[in-house]
Amino acid sequence: MTFSFSRLQPAGFLASGNVFPDFGAVGGSNELESIIGALLTIVLILSVLMIVVSAVIWAIGSANGHHQVATKARIGVWTALGTAALAGAGITWMNWLITLGGQL
């Protein structure tokens, strides 16, 4: 039994090289974009608020000799920084993937 690639024909849209996501095909894509934008804004605002609160608690805990409180607050600062970085990097990564998809 031999395998022949001649029977495998690419679909029409693949043969033309026009592979790009059709965001208009999804019903309510405008509402989805606004919801995602609002959620991202909330995540970034809460991350900045968490950085400020955790940094203040870290400073107070360190100054008063409460090392466990200072350690927990330091973990809070790093967690908030990571959350903000991931939220920003997620958008950058998605834009890069969309641009890369347009070049294929």
Side-chain angles (χ1 to χ4, degrees):
M1 177 176 205
T2 61
F3 184 76
S4 172
F5 285 104
S6 63
R7 290 185 284 159
L8 298 175
Q9 297 296 324
F13 67 91
L14 288 177
S16 67
N18 189 14
V19 180
F20 192 74
D22 186 12
F23 294 113
V26 178
S29 62
N30 292 333
E31 290 85 11
L32 186 62
E33 285 181 19
S34 65
I35 290 171
I36 290 172
L39 288 175
L40 182 64
T41 303
I42 291 171
V43 165
L44 291 176
I45 289 172
L46 289 177
S47 293
V48 170
L49 182 64
M50 186 175 167
I51 288 171
V52 170
V53 170
S54 295
V56 168
I57 293 173
W58 184 4
I60 292 171
S62 294
N64 291 327
H66 298 287
H67 301 293
Q68 289 179 341
V69 172
T71 302
K72 297 289 184 182
R74 182 177 47 214
I75 291 171
V77 169
W78 286 111
T79 303
L81 282 172
T83 303
L86 285 176
I91 293 174
T92 305
W93 184 50
M94 186 58 67
N95 287 335
W96 179 75
L97 288 175
I98 289 173
T99 303
L100 182 67
Q103 295 173 357
L104 294 177

